[in-house]
């Protein structure tokens, strides 16, 4: 279904038909069917899965990987954050792939629209849209945006703890009616950073945790409003929001919690 609805491949394509046959067979013979998407059973039942087989267990995070020790960021990234902080600017960060599916252009345009807020946008990662986004920020929008190379997993906490807000965006695609479970979301929540979440999925961990501001996907005006909302909060209010995010990540998405759910599932 992902290939069809996101990749726009024909349902009659031989590869898709082969995958569909394997999928339906698996639903019928499996004792349990687990998905990281909470509403995936709505689709699976139409393909022959018995309702009692389904279990929702999302992607998770290992709390033990998140120590309080700070690793040294690459010089260009550290300098960009340090310069923005010295100027008293509000730092909005993004970490991950720079592709169409990540809905990053609306973020850049929202920063331009929120021109009354002193925002520095720090983009970390790579992807096919990175150069086009850099040129958009530099030549057309003329916003304060820095584009840096990917960083090792071990440095992700160090980066996220140094920004004021993080962005996660999705395309307004009907596929997300079954839910979302992004690993990047787990990183954001564990870092305790307020999140601007642009999505229309059936589930929303940011809203569940009261850990940021959720807006419509691709809506430049709403994303700009979210930036203004988080900027207007006091440092203590943003810190409390971050604490809720981290607690939600540990209590809902922590590996010890998910392992217990898997064990309960297979021991029935």
């Amino acid at each position: 279904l992902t290939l069809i609805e996101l990749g726009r491949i024909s349902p009659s394509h031989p590869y898709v038909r082969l995958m569909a046959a394997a999928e339906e067979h698996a639903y019928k013979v499996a004792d349990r069917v687990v998905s990281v998407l909470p509403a995936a059973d709505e689709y699976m039942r139409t393909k022959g899965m018995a309702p009692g087989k389904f279990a929702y267990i999302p992607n998770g995070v290992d709390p033990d990987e998140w120590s309080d020790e700070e690793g040294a960021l690459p010089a260009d990234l550290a300098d960009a954050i340090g310069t923005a902080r010295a100027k008293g600017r509000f730092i909005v960060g993004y970490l991950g792939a720079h592709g169409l599916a990540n809905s990053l252009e609306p973020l850049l345009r929202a920063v331009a629209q929120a021109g009354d807020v002193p925002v520095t946008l720090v983009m970390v990662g790579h992807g096919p849209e990175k150069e086009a986004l850099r040129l958009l920020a530099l030549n057309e929008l003329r916003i304060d945006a820095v584009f840096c190379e990917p960083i090792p997993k071990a440095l992700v906490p160090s980066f996220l703890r140094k920004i004021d807000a993080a962005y996660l965006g999705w395309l307004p695609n009907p596929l997300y009616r079954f839910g979302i479970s992004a690993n990047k979301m787990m990183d954001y929540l564990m870092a305790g950073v307020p999140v601007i979440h642009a999505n229309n999925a059936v589930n929303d961990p940011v809203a569940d945790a009261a850990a940021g501001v959720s807006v419509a996907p691709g809506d430049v005006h709403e994303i700009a409003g979210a930036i203004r909302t988080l900027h207007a909060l006091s440092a203590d209010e943003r810190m409390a929001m971050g604490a809720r995010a981290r607690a939600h990540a540990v209590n809902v998405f922590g590996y010890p919690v998910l392992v217990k759910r898997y064990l309960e599932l297979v021991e029935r």
Side-chain angles (χ1 to χ4, degrees):
L1 191 63
T2 300
L3 292 175
I4 294 168
E5 295 197 2
L6 279 184
R8 300 188 182 280
I9 297 177
S10 169
S12 61
H13 189 286
Y15 182 62
V16 173
R17 293 176 64 182
L18 178 64
M19 289 186 66
E23 179 183 29
E24 293 177 20
H25 176 72
Y27 292 150
K28 291 175 182 177
V29 302
D31 295 305
R32 298 285 186 270
V33 178
V34 178
S35 176
V36 299
L37 308 180
D41 60 320
E42 295 179 14
Y43 166 76
M44 294 173 177
R45 290 199 305 269
T46 69
K47 300 299 180 181
M49 183 194 72
K53 292 183 177 183
F54 181 79
Y56 161 59
I57 303 179
N59 286 319
V61 64
D62 184 357
D64 291 338
E65 291 183 351
W66 288 75
S67 69
D68 292 330
E69 296 181 6
E70 292 285 334
L73 295 175
D76 60 336
L77 180 56
D79 289 347
I81 294 173
T83 298
R85 191 63 68 203
K87 293 180 178 178
R89 299 185 68 82
F90 186 73
I91 304 174
V92 177
Y94 172 79
L95 177 70
H98 291 45
L100 289 175
N102 307 108
S103 194
L104 296 175
E105 183 176 334
L107 171 63
L108 271 63
R109 295 192 180 279
V111 169
Q113 189 175 111
D116 51 314
V117 178
V119 176
T120 291
L121 183 60
V122 181
M123 309 283 287
V124 178
H126 60 70
E129 297 298 309
K130 182 172 182 175
E131 183 60 15
L133 291 168
R134 188 187 69 80
L135 292 175
L136 175 66
L138 178 65
N139 298 328
E140 179 183 336
L141 302 178
R142 298 185 180 182
I143 58 176
D144 186 6
V146 181
F147 290 80
C148 298
E149 292 301 301
I151 57 176
K153 175 74 172 176
L155 294 180
V156 166
S158 299
F159 167 65
L160 293 177
R161 287 170 179 158
K162 288 179 171 61
I163 62 177
D164 298 305
Y167 172 82
L168 177 58
W170 305 79
L171 295 176
N173 191 284
L175 182 68
Y176 302 131
R177 65 191 179 277
F178 301 117
I180 54 174
S181 187
N183 286 310
K184 188 177 8 275
M185 174 67 76
M186 310 306 164
D187 290 338
Y188 286 178
L189 295 176
M190 276 299 300
V193 59
V195 182
I196 299 169
H197 192 203
N199 95 108
N200 62 351
V202 69
N203 63 318
D204 184 352
V206 172
D208 293 342
V213 181
S214 296
V215 298
D219 192 314
V220 173
H221 179 72
E222 288 196 12
I223 297 171
I227 292 172
R228 292 189 179 98
T229 296
L230 292 178
H231 176 260
L233 297 178
S234 67
D236 287 343
E237 288 173 320
R238 287 197 294 272
M239 187 176 298
M241 189 174 281
R244 292 193 296 270
R246 187 178 178 91
H248 189 77
V250 172
N251 296 329
V252 178
F253 301 115
Y255 280 170
V257 176
L258 301 185
V259 165
K260 183 179 179 181
R261 288 171 62 180
Y262 266 109
L263 289 174
E264 291 172 348
L265 185 68
V266 300
E267 291 172 353
R268 286 180 192 170

